[in-house]
Amino acid sequence: MVNFWLDVSLLVVLTALGVTGVIVQFVFPPGVAARGWKLFGMTYGQWCSIQFSLLSLLGTGVLVHVMLHWSWVCGVVARRILRVRDMPDD
């Protein structure tokens, strides 16, 4: 269940990151021309802060996801990349 909810959370954060990326890139004018513009009561700087927060959250979630699947990652690397036949059972 932990993996399921972590994956759902990562999907939600990735979607929100995409939405904020579109808002920052395409809705607001570039650079200092965005001064004074607001969308949903938030300025360009606030949208950029939300985008950075979501990016940090996504990075942390991906790190936790890899940590939860670390034995699988090691097994794939050993068997498929390094071609190790017998793996010790840790």
Short mmCIF file of all heavy atoms in Angstrom, two decimals, residues 2-49:
data_model
loop_
_atom_site.label_atom_id
_atom_site.label_comp_id
_atom_site.label_asym_id
_atom_site.label_seq_id
_atom_site.Cartn_x
_atom_site.Cartn_y
_atom_site.Cartn_z
N VAL A 2 2.02 1.19 0.64
CA VAL A 2 2.90 2.37 0.68
C VAL A 2 3.33 2.74 -0.74
O VAL A 2 3.31 3.92 -1.11
CB VAL A 2 4.13 2.09 1.57
CG1 VAL A 2 5.13 3.22 1.47
CG2 VAL A 2 3.70 1.90 3.02
N ASN A 3 3.70 1.73 -1.53
CA ASN A 3 4.12 2.01 -2.91
C ASN A 3 2.99 2.61 -3.73
O ASN A 3 3.22 3.53 -4.53
CB ASN A 3 4.62 0.72 -3.59
CG ASN A 3 5.95 0.28 -3.05
OD1 ASN A 3 6.76 1.08 -2.66
ND2 ASN A 3 6.16 -1.02 -3.02
N PHE A 4 1.78 2.11 -3.56
CA PHE A 4 0.64 2.64 -4.30
C PHE A 4 0.42 4.11 -3.98
O PHE A 4 0.29 4.95 -4.89
CB PHE A 4 -0.62 1.83 -3.98
CG PHE A 4 -1.86 2.42 -4.57
CD1 PHE A 4 -2.14 2.27 -5.92
CD2 PHE A 4 -2.75 3.14 -3.78
CE1 PHE A 4 -3.28 2.83 -6.48
CE2 PHE A 4 -3.90 3.68 -4.33
CZ PHE A 4 -4.16 3.53 -5.68
N TRP A 5 0.36 4.45 -2.70
CA TRP A 5 0.10 5.84 -2.32
C TRP A 5 1.26 6.76 -2.67
O TRP A 5 1.05 7.93 -3.02
CB TRP A 5 -0.27 5.94 -0.85
CG TRP A 5 -1.63 5.38 -0.62
CD1 TRP A 5 -1.96 4.26 0.09
CD2 TRP A 5 -2.86 5.89 -1.13
NE1 TRP A 5 -3.31 4.04 0.04
CE2 TRP A 5 -3.90 5.02 -0.70
CE3 TRP A 5 -3.20 6.97 -1.92
CZ2 TRP A 5 -5.23 5.23 -1.03
CZ3 TRP A 5 -4.55 7.17 -2.24
CH2 TRP A 5 -5.53 6.31 -1.80
N LEU A 6 2.48 6.24 -2.61
CA LEU A 6 3.63 7.04 -3.03
C LEU A 6 3.54 7.32 -4.53
O LEU A 6 3.77 8.45 -4.97
CB LEU A 6 4.94 6.31 -2.70
CG LEU A 6 6.22 7.02 -3.13
CD1 LEU A 6 6.35 8.36 -2.42
CD2 LEU A 6 7.42 6.15 -2.86
N ASP A 7 3.18 6.32 -5.32
CA ASP A 7 3.06 6.51 -6.77
C ASP A 7 1.92 7.47 -7.11
O ASP A 7 2.06 8.30 -8.00
CB ASP A 7 2.86 5.17 -7.46
CG ASP A 7 4.10 4.31 -7.43
OD1 ASP A 7 5.18 4.83 -7.08
OD2 ASP A 7 4.00 3.10 -7.74
N VAL A 8 0.80 7.37 -6.41
CA VAL A 8 -0.31 8.30 -6.63
C VAL A 8 0.12 9.72 -6.28
O VAL A 8 -0.17 10.67 -7.01
CB VAL A 8 -1.56 7.87 -5.82
CG1 VAL A 8 -2.62 8.96 -5.81
CG2 VAL A 8 -2.13 6.58 -6.37
N SER A 9 0.83 9.86 -5.18
CA SER A 9 1.32 11.19 -4.76
C SER A 9 2.28 11.75 -5.79
O SER A 9 2.22 12.95 -6.13
CB SER A 9 2.01 11.10 -3.41
OG SER A 9 1.13 10.63 -2.43
N LEU A 10 3.17 10.91 -6.31
CA LEU A 10 4.11 11.37 -7.33
C LEU A 10 3.38 11.80 -8.60
O LEU A 10 3.76 12.79 -9.23
CB LEU A 10 5.13 10.27 -7.65
CG LEU A 10 6.21 10.04 -6.60
CD1 LEU A 10 7.04 8.82 -6.96
CD2 LEU A 10 7.09 11.26 -6.46
N LEU A 11 2.33 11.09 -8.98
CA LEU A 11 1.55 11.47 -10.15
C LEU A 11 0.86 12.82 -9.94
O LEU A 11 0.87 13.68 -10.83
CB LEU A 11 0.51 10.39 -10.46
CG LEU A 11 -0.42 10.68 -11.64
CD1 LEU A 11 0.37 10.77 -12.94
CD2 LEU A 11 -1.50 9.62 -11.73
N VAL A 12 0.30 13.03 -8.76
CA VAL A 12 -0.37 14.30 -8.46
C VAL A 12 0.64 15.45 -8.47
O VAL A 12 0.39 16.52 -9.06
CB VAL A 12 -1.11 14.22 -7.11
CG1 VAL A 12 -1.59 15.60 -6.65
CG2 VAL A 12 -2.28 13.26 -7.20
N VAL A 13 1.79 15.24 -7.84
CA VAL A 13 2.82 16.29 -7.79
C VAL A 13 3.35 16.58 -9.19
O VAL A 13 3.56 17.74 -9.57
CB VAL A 13 3.95 15.90 -6.82
CG1 VAL A 13 5.13 16.84 -6.94
CG2 VAL A 13 3.44 15.88 -5.39
N LEU A 14 3.57 15.53 -10.00
CA LEU A 14 4.06 15.73 -11.36
C LEU A 14 3.04 16.51 -12.20
O LEU A 14 3.42 17.40 -12.97
CB LEU A 14 4.36 14.38 -12.01
CG LEU A 14 4.92 14.44 -13.43
CD1 LEU A 14 6.28 15.12 -13.44
CD2 LEU A 14 5.02 13.04 -14.01
N THR A 15 1.77 16.20 -12.04
CA THR A 15 0.72 16.93 -12.76
C THR A 15 0.68 18.39 -12.32
O THR A 15 0.61 19.30 -13.17
CB THR A 15 -0.65 16.27 -12.52
OG1 THR A 15 -0.57 14.90 -12.92
CG2 THR A 15 -1.74 16.98 -13.29
N ALA A 16 0.75 18.64 -11.03
CA ALA A 16 0.75 20.01 -10.52
C ALA A 16 1.99 20.76 -10.99
O ALA A 16 1.92 21.95 -11.32
CB ALA A 16 0.68 20.01 -8.99
N LEU A 17 3.13 20.07 -11.06
CA LEU A 17 4.36 20.70 -11.54
C LEU A 17 4.22 21.07 -13.02
O LEU A 17 4.66 22.14 -13.44
CB LEU A 17 5.54 19.75 -11.34
CG LEU A 17 6.92 20.27 -11.72
CD1 LEU A 17 7.28 21.50 -10.90
CD2 LEU A 17 7.96 19.18 -11.53
N GLY A 18 3.57 20.22 -13.79
CA GLY A 18 3.32 20.54 -15.19
C GLY A 18 2.42 21.75 -15.35
O GLY A 18 2.66 22.61 -16.20
N VAL A 19 1.38 21.83 -14.53
CA VAL A 19 0.45 22.97 -14.59
C VAL A 19 1.18 24.26 -14.23
O VAL A 19 1.05 25.28 -14.93
CB VAL A 19 -0.76 22.74 -13.67
CG1 VAL A 19 -1.59 24.01 -13.52
CG2 VAL A 19 -1.61 21.60 -14.21
N THR A 20 1.96 24.25 -13.15
CA THR A 20 2.68 25.47 -12.77
C THR A 20 3.74 25.83 -13.80
O THR A 20 3.99 27.01 -14.04
CB THR A 20 3.33 25.34 -11.38
OG1 THR A 20 4.23 24.23 -11.38
CG2 THR A 20 2.29 25.19 -10.30
N GLY A 21 4.34 24.82 -14.42
CA GLY A 21 5.32 25.10 -15.47
C GLY A 21 4.68 25.80 -16.66
O GLY A 21 5.25 26.75 -17.22
N VAL A 22 3.49 25.35 -17.05
CA VAL A 22 2.78 26.00 -18.15
C VAL A 22 2.40 27.42 -17.76
O VAL A 22 2.53 28.35 -18.56
CB VAL A 22 1.52 25.17 -18.53
CG1 VAL A 22 0.60 25.97 -19.43
CG2 VAL A 22 1.94 23.88 -19.21
N ILE A 23 1.96 27.61 -16.54
CA ILE A 23 1.58 28.96 -16.08
C ILE A 23 2.79 29.89 -16.09
O ILE A 23 2.72 31.01 -16.62
CB ILE A 23 0.93 28.90 -14.68
CG1 ILE A 23 -0.45 28.27 -14.78
CG2 ILE A 23 0.86 30.28 -14.04
CD1 ILE A 23 -1.11 27.97 -13.46
N VAL A 24 3.90 29.43 -15.54
CA VAL A 24 5.10 30.29 -15.47
C VAL A 24 5.65 30.56 -16.87
O VAL A 24 6.08 31.67 -17.17
CB VAL A 24 6.16 29.64 -14.56
CG1 VAL A 24 7.50 30.32 -14.71
CG2 VAL A 24 5.71 29.69 -13.11
N GLN A 25 5.63 29.56 -17.73
CA GLN A 25 6.25 29.70 -19.05
C GLN A 25 5.37 30.43 -20.05
O GLN A 25 5.86 31.25 -20.82
CB GLN A 25 6.61 28.32 -19.60
CG GLN A 25 7.33 28.34 -20.91
CD GLN A 25 8.72 28.93 -20.81
OE1 GLN A 25 9.38 28.78 -19.79
NE2 GLN A 25 9.16 29.61 -21.85
N PHE A 26 4.07 30.13 -20.06
CA PHE A 26 3.23 30.62 -21.14
C PHE A 26 2.20 31.67 -20.75
O PHE A 26 1.74 32.41 -21.62
CB PHE A 26 2.51 29.44 -21.81
CG PHE A 26 3.45 28.46 -22.43
CD1 PHE A 26 3.57 27.18 -21.93
CD2 PHE A 26 4.22 28.82 -23.52
CE1 PHE A 26 4.43 26.27 -22.50
CE2 PHE A 26 5.10 27.92 -24.10
CZ PHE A 26 5.20 26.64 -23.60
N VAL A 27 1.82 31.76 -19.48
CA VAL A 27 0.80 32.73 -19.09
C VAL A 27 1.43 34.07 -18.76
O VAL A 27 0.98 35.12 -19.23
CB VAL A 27 -0.04 32.21 -17.90
CG1 VAL A 27 -0.99 33.26 -17.38
CG2 VAL A 27 -0.79 30.95 -18.31
N PHE A 28 2.47 34.06 -17.96
CA PHE A 28 3.14 35.30 -17.56
C PHE A 28 4.10 35.75 -18.66
O PHE A 28 4.75 34.92 -19.31
CB PHE A 28 3.92 35.10 -16.26
CG PHE A 28 3.05 35.08 -15.03
CD1 PHE A 28 2.68 33.88 -14.46
CD2 PHE A 28 2.61 36.26 -14.46
CE1 PHE A 28 1.89 33.84 -13.33
CE2 PHE A 28 1.81 36.24 -13.33
CZ PHE A 28 1.44 35.03 -12.77
N PRO A 29 4.23 37.06 -18.83
CA PRO A 29 5.24 37.55 -19.78
C PRO A 29 6.64 37.33 -19.20
O PRO A 29 6.80 37.20 -17.99
CB PRO A 29 4.91 39.04 -19.90
CG PRO A 29 4.14 39.39 -18.68
CD PRO A 29 3.45 38.14 -18.24
N PRO A 30 7.64 37.25 -20.05
CA PRO A 30 8.99 36.97 -19.56
C PRO A 30 9.61 38.14 -18.78
O PRO A 30 9.32 39.30 -19.04
CB PRO A 30 9.78 36.69 -20.84
CG PRO A 30 9.02 37.39 -21.92
CD PRO A 30 7.58 37.38 -21.49
N GLY A 31 10.46 37.76 -17.83
CA GLY A 31 11.28 38.73 -17.11
C GLY A 31 10.51 39.76 -16.31
O GLY A 31 9.50 39.49 -15.70
N VAL A 32 11.06 40.99 -16.34
CA VAL A 32 10.49 42.07 -15.52
C VAL A 32 9.15 42.55 -16.06
O VAL A 32 8.45 43.29 -15.38
CB VAL A 32 11.47 43.26 -15.42
CG1 VAL A 32 12.71 42.86 -14.64
CG2 VAL A 32 11.84 43.79 -16.79
N ALA A 33 8.77 42.12 -17.25
CA ALA A 33 7.46 42.50 -17.79
C ALA A 33 6.32 41.88 -16.99
O ALA A 33 5.18 42.33 -17.08
CB ALA A 33 7.36 42.08 -19.26
N ALA A 34 6.62 40.87 -16.19
CA ALA A 34 5.60 40.22 -15.37
C ALA A 34 5.30 40.99 -14.10
O ALA A 34 4.41 40.61 -13.34
CB ALA A 34 6.03 38.79 -15.03
N ARG A 35 6.04 42.07 -13.85
CA ARG A 35 5.81 42.86 -12.64
C ARG A 35 4.40 43.43 -12.65
O ARG A 35 3.96 44.03 -13.62
CB ARG A 35 6.83 44.00 -12.56
CG ARG A 35 6.67 44.82 -11.29
CD ARG A 35 7.76 45.84 -11.13
NE ARG A 35 9.01 45.11 -10.91
CZ ARG A 35 10.19 45.54 -11.29
NH1 ARG A 35 10.31 46.69 -11.91
NH2 ARG A 35 11.27 44.84 -11.06
N GLY A 36 3.68 43.18 -11.56
CA GLY A 36 2.32 43.67 -11.44
C GLY A 36 1.26 42.68 -11.91
O GLY A 36 0.09 42.86 -11.61
N TRP A 37 1.66 41.65 -12.63
CA TRP A 37 0.70 40.64 -13.09
C TRP A 37 0.38 39.68 -11.95
O TRP A 37 1.23 39.31 -11.16
CB TRP A 37 1.30 39.83 -14.24
CG TRP A 37 1.27 40.49 -15.57
CD1 TRP A 37 1.72 41.74 -15.87
CD2 TRP A 37 0.78 39.94 -16.78
NE1 TRP A 37 1.56 42.00 -17.19
CE2 TRP A 37 0.97 40.90 -17.79
CE3 TRP A 37 0.21 38.73 -17.12
CZ2 TRP A 37 0.60 40.69 -19.11
CZ3 TRP A 37 -0.16 38.52 -18.43
CH2 TRP A 37 0.03 39.49 -19.41
N LYS A 38 -0.88 39.26 -11.91
CA LYS A 38 -1.31 38.27 -10.92
C LYS A 38 -2.23 37.27 -11.60
O LYS A 38 -2.98 37.62 -12.50
CB LYS A 38 -2.04 38.93 -9.75
CG LYS A 38 -1.13 39.69 -8.83
CD LYS A 38 -1.88 40.12 -7.60
CE LYS A 38 -0.89 40.79 -6.64
NZ LYS A 38 -1.49 41.07 -5.36
N LEU A 39 -2.16 36.03 -11.12
CA LEU A 39 -3.07 34.98 -11.58
C LEU A 39 -3.55 34.24 -10.35
O LEU A 39 -2.73 33.73 -9.57
CB LEU A 39 -2.36 34.02 -12.55
CG LEU A 39 -3.22 32.89 -13.10
CD1 LEU A 39 -4.33 33.45 -13.99
CD2 LEU A 39 -2.36 31.92 -13.90
N PHE A 40 -4.84 34.20 -10.15
CA PHE A 40 -5.45 33.63 -8.95
C PHE A 40 -4.89 34.27 -7.68
O PHE A 40 -4.69 33.60 -6.67
CB PHE A 40 -5.27 32.11 -8.91
CG PHE A 40 -5.82 31.39 -10.10
CD1 PHE A 40 -5.00 30.61 -10.89
CD2 PHE A 40 -7.16 31.50 -10.43
CE1 PHE A 40 -5.50 29.95 -11.99
CE2 PHE A 40 -7.68 30.84 -11.53
CZ PHE A 40 -6.83 30.06 -12.32
N GLY A 41 -4.57 35.56 -7.75
CA GLY A 41 -4.10 36.30 -6.59
C GLY A 41 -2.62 36.11 -6.27
O GLY A 41 -2.16 36.58 -5.24
N MET A 42 -1.88 35.42 -7.16
CA MET A 42 -0.45 35.18 -6.89
C MET A 42 0.39 35.80 -8.00
O MET A 42 0.03 35.76 -9.18
CB MET A 42 -0.17 33.68 -6.80
CG MET A 42 -0.81 33.03 -5.58
SD MET A 42 -0.37 31.31 -5.39
CE MET A 42 -1.28 30.55 -6.70
N THR A 43 1.53 36.34 -7.58
CA THR A 43 2.44 36.97 -8.53
C THR A 43 3.33 35.92 -9.20
O THR A 43 3.33 34.74 -8.83
CB THR A 43 3.35 37.99 -7.80
OG1 THR A 43 4.17 37.29 -6.87
CG2 THR A 43 2.53 39.06 -7.10
N TYR A 44 4.11 36.39 -10.16
CA TYR A 44 5.05 35.53 -10.87
C TYR A 44 6.04 34.87 -9.91
O TYR A 44 6.30 33.67 -10.00
CB TYR A 44 5.81 36.36 -11.92
CG TYR A 44 6.88 35.61 -12.66
CD1 TYR A 44 6.55 34.78 -13.71
CD2 TYR A 44 8.23 35.75 -12.32
CE1 TYR A 44 7.53 34.09 -14.41
CE2 TYR A 44 9.21 35.07 -13.01
CZ TYR A 44 8.85 34.24 -14.04
OH TYR A 44 9.82 33.56 -14.73
N GLY A 45 6.54 35.63 -8.97
CA GLY A 45 7.49 35.08 -7.99
C GLY A 45 6.87 34.00 -7.11
O GLY A 45 7.52 33.01 -6.78
N GLN A 46 5.63 34.20 -6.75
CA GLN A 46 4.95 33.18 -5.94
C GLN A 46 4.71 31.91 -6.73
O GLN A 46 4.85 30.81 -6.20
CB GLN A 46 3.63 33.74 -5.41
CG GLN A 46 3.82 34.82 -4.36
CD GLN A 46 2.53 35.54 -4.02
OE1 GLN A 46 1.66 35.76 -4.88
NE2 GLN A 46 2.39 35.91 -2.75
N TRP A 47 4.36 32.03 -8.01
CA TRP A 47 4.19 30.85 -8.85
C TRP A 47 5.52 30.11 -9.01
O TRP A 47 5.56 28.87 -9.00
CB TRP A 47 3.63 31.22 -10.22
CG TRP A 47 2.15 31.42 -10.18
CD1 TRP A 47 1.48 32.61 -10.21
CD2 TRP A 47 1.15 30.40 -10.09
NE1 TRP A 47 0.13 32.39 -10.13
CE2 TRP A 47 -0.11 31.05 -10.07
CE3 TRP A 47 1.19 29.02 -10.02
CZ2 TRP A 47 -1.30 30.34 -9.98
CZ3 TRP A 47 0.00 28.31 -9.94
CH2 TRP A 47 -1.23 28.98 -9.92
N CYS A 48 6.61 30.87 -9.15
CA CYS A 48 7.93 30.24 -9.26
C CYS A 48 8.30 29.53 -7.96
O CYS A 48 8.91 28.45 -7.99
CB CYS A 48 9.00 31.28 -9.60
SG CYS A 48 8.89 31.88 -11.30
N SER A 49 7.94 30.09 -6.82
CA SER A 49 8.19 29.44 -5.53
C SER A 49 7.39 28.15 -5.40
O SER A 49 7.91 27.13 -4.91
CB SER A 49 7.84 30.38 -4.38
OG SER A 49 8.68 31.50 -4.38
#
